[in-house]
Amino acid sequence: GKYHALVRPAILTSALGYSMAGLSIVIDVGRWWGIWRIPLGGFPEWGKYNWNSALLEVALCVMAYVGVLWIELGPAFLEKWKATSRNSALVNFSEMGLKFYDKALIWIIALGLLLPTMHQSSLGTVMLLAGDKLHPLWFTPFIPLLFLISCVGMGYAVVVWESTVSSRVFKREREDSMLISMAGAMVIVTGLFLLLRFADIIISGKTMMMFTSGFMSVMFWLEIAVFLAPMVMLMGVKQTQNFGTLFRSSVLLMLAGALYRFDAYIVAYNPGENWSYFPSTLELLITLGVVAFEVFLYIVIVKRYPILSGNRAAGSAA
């Protein structure tokens, strides 16, 4: 029951988010019509992969991860078809599929946990290629690990946010106890991120840059503050059982991870003299449109399939 009520909505959010992000990339990158060749080994030129490319790993892992996420949601679709379909062939297929998932789902979920650790760290690896074009406060050999650790905190924050909003909108009971029980782990994760961030800067001799880099120093300390605030807020949540504090800290944790990535990829990155970049109004509007489309698809799917239900029977009949 708890799997259906908490994990399925989180998987759906991730599946839609990565699918929409993939759609955005397909639209945005040059020669997008050739992107289908990536999972096929560069067909028709087999074996032409650049195995030293961090972006190749990102592309392969994201594509595989999106597929695994939708496979993880398979039971929700099968349960609905089994309960409501008048097509006997579809009902039999659903029954066979559910039997398969009863045995294989644990391994599918394990794969779904492994793949994002690979592409999230590789997103940090991409910025290693920037070299001295990336400000020293962000450039570090540990940036892949920092991207990965911050992603863990963001993932938890997204689950809290999604559970809270969907519970309010669809008038369903929240999984407060389960979400609050994981707050302590997020304190450790966020603390580890901050410890590694400061340790790397101090050991590499960049301590003074935290105070003498002008605007970059301001952005650095803003990042630290946005990471530190939710960590402090989460320290007492397990004792007070205050879900309002948990929700506010999760929003800050999402903002912290997003700000760290935004700084590393745009603010702290200097492409060279006479070059600068910031998203244009049209790019921002397209991004908002993609997010709006994702929300629309989420609403449609959760209303038609047992994503938010607490147990299989009730969800199937809904």
Side-chain angles (χ1 to χ4, degrees), residues 10-21 65-66 69-70 73 294:
I11 293 174
L12 176 60
T13 301
S14 296
L16 288 173
Y18 276 98
S19 297
M20 293 301 100
Y65 183 46
V66 170
L69 285 171
W70 287 109
L73 284 172
E294 177 185 350

Side-chain angles (χ1 to χ4, degrees), residues 23 32 61 99 106 134 147 158 180 198 243 245 264 294 306:
L23 175 62
W32 55 265
C61 288
K99 290 179 180 178
I106 182 69
L134 184 62
F147 264 64
V158 169
I180 290 175
F198 278 109
F243 197 87
T245 301
E294 177 185 350

Side-chain angles (χ1 to χ4, degrees), residues 107 232 308:
W107 304 107
V232 174
L308 300 176

Side-chain angles (χ1 to χ4, degrees), residues 47-81:
K48 294 295 184 179
Y49 273 155
N50 177 9
W51 292 109
N52 296 317
S53 171
L55 277 177
L56 174 63
E57 183 180 357
V58 172
L60 288 172
C61 288
V62 169
M63 287 180 173
Y65 183 46
V66 170
V68 170
L69 285 171
W70 287 109
I71 292 172
E72 284 183 274
L73 284 172
F77 299 104
L78 295 174
E79 290 162 15
K80 179 69 174 182
W81 297 336

